[in-house]
Amino acid sequence: MAKILVVGPSWVGDMVMAQCLFKVIRCADPDAAISVLAPPWSAPLVARMPEVAAMLDMPLGHGQLQLRARRRLGRELKEARFDQAIVLPGSFKSALVPWFAKIPRRTGYVGEQRWGLLNDIRRPGPATPPVTARRFIALGRPKDAEAAGTAGMPRPALAVNSQSVAESVSRFGLDTSAPVIALCPGAEYGPAKQWPAGHFAEVANAQLQQGRRVWLFGSANDRPVAARINRMCAGRCADLSGRTSLGEAVDLMSLARYAVTNDSGLMHIAAAVGCHVIALYGSSSDTVTPPLTERCERLSLRLECSPCFKRVCPLGHLDCLNRLGPERVLGVME
C-alpha cells in the first residue's frame, strides 16, 4: 500500500480542485493511503473528500518561512514513512517539509528553483494543461504521461451529510420551502474579480419576485458588500456572510438550485456540491479556473484588456464586469 503525502494549496478553490488529483491517485491504486498536509481552515473540505485517509495540520501561516518549525514538522512526519510527497504549491518553502521528512520520492513543478528539495521535478511546458486542476492531476501520473489527453477528467464531489445540512438550516433559521438561489459576491483575490453589488441586487430582486429564496454567502470580509446587496433588496435576502463556518457553507450551498458567483473558492464549492453554477469572469480566465461541472454557464465579455489577472483593474474602469449586465445572468436562469 503506497503512502502518499500531498502538500495542499492555501486557497479554497485550489483545495477543492485538488480532489481531482486524489481521485486519480486512488483510481490508479485503490489501496493508496493519501494524507493531506494543509492549513487547518481546509479541514472541513478535506473531511468531505472520501479519497483522503488523513488530514495533517500545517501550523505555519501563508507566506511564513519559519525554517526551524518546518524542520521540526518534517522530522515528525519522517516516522510515518511516506513513499511519495506531491507538492502542489510552487513555492520554495512548501517543498521543505517533505525534504526534511526524507520522503524518497518528492514530486512537484520546478517552481521557485526547488532543485534538490524535489527529485521528481516536472517542468511546465507547451504540453502542460493550463487548467489548474489538470496541472494537479499531471503530478499524480508518471512523468511520461503528462502530455496525455485529459478526457474523462474526474470532477470534485464533496460528500454532504443530510443530517449536517438539516442542522445548518435549523441553526440559521432558513426557509427552504421554495427554490434557493445562492449569491457569492466576494472574491478574496481582489476587486477586479468582483461583479458589481448593484448587478447582484438586480438578480436577487428578480428571483425574489418569482418567489424564490436568495441566500448571500461569503466570509467576514464580504459582509459589507453582502449588506449592500441586501439593502437594495429591502432586507429580503438571508445574509449568511461571515456567519457560517466553511463546513456550514458547504452544507447550505448544496441546497441551492443556482449559484451566481465570482471566480472564487465558493464557486468551486458550488460546483462540487451539484449547484448549477453561473460563473462571472473579469480579470481572471475561465480556461484556467473553470467550475468543474457540466452544470455551469461561464460568462465573460472577453474584452481586449482581459484577462489581465490583476487584483485591481489597471485601467480604472473595470469594464469587464461593469458591462457584464445582470440580464446576461437572468437569461440563463429558468
Side-chain angles (χ1 to χ4, degrees), residues 109 122-131 134-136 138 146-147:
Y109 291 107
R122 311 297 175 89
R123 299 178 181 84
T128 306
V131 179
R134 292 175 180 174
R135 285 170 52 85
F136 289 170
E146 282 187 72

Side-chain angles (χ1 to χ4, degrees), residues 75-248:
R75 289 174 175 173
E76 291 172 0
L77 292 179
K78 183 180 176 182
E79 303 301 319
R81 297 184 180 277
F82 288 104
D83 300 296
Q84 181 185 11
I86 299 176
V87 183
L88 297 186
S91 64
F92 174 84
K93 61 183 176 296
S94 63
L96 285 169
V97 170
W99 184 72
F100 285 129
K102 299 188 183 302
I103 297 173
R105 182 181 173 196
R106 304 181 298 277
T107 304
Y109 291 107
V110 63
E112 296 178 348
Q113 299 301 316
R114 303 190 289 183
W115 305 100
L117 295 180
L118 302 178
N119 56 14
D120 179 21
I121 285 187
R122 311 297 175 89
R123 299 178 181 84
T128 306
V131 179
T132 299
R134 292 175 180 174
R135 285 170 52 85
F136 289 170
I137 286 173
L139 295 178
R141 291 174 171 163
K143 188 176 293 189
D144 58 5
E146 282 187 72
T150 55
M153 182 182 76
R155 313 280 182 162
L158 300 176
V160 179
N161 180 279
S162 58
Q163 181 177 345
S164 64
V165 171
E167 289 171 354
S168 294
V169 169
S170 176
R171 177 181 176 184
F172 295 101
L174 296 170
D175 181 1
T176 59
S177 63
V180 173
I181 309 300
L183 301 186
C184 308
E188 292 294 324
Y189 186 76
K193 274 191 173 186
Q194 295 176 354
W195 204 43
H199 291 1
F200 273 109
E202 284 195 45
V203 170
N205 278 317
Q207 295 301 303
L208 290 164
Q209 189 172 354
Q210 294 184 38
R212 295 175 173 179
R213 308 293 180 254
V214 175
W215 297 353
L216 301 172
F217 287 84
S219 69
N221 292 334
D222 302 321
R223 283 176 178 168
V225 65
R228 193 156 62 249
I229 293 167
N230 207 13
R231 283 196 299 271
M232 288 186 276
C233 297
R236 294 178 294 163
C237 303
D239 185 357
L240 300 168
S241 61
R243 298 173 60 202
T244 68
S245 66
L246 183 56
E248 289 166 337

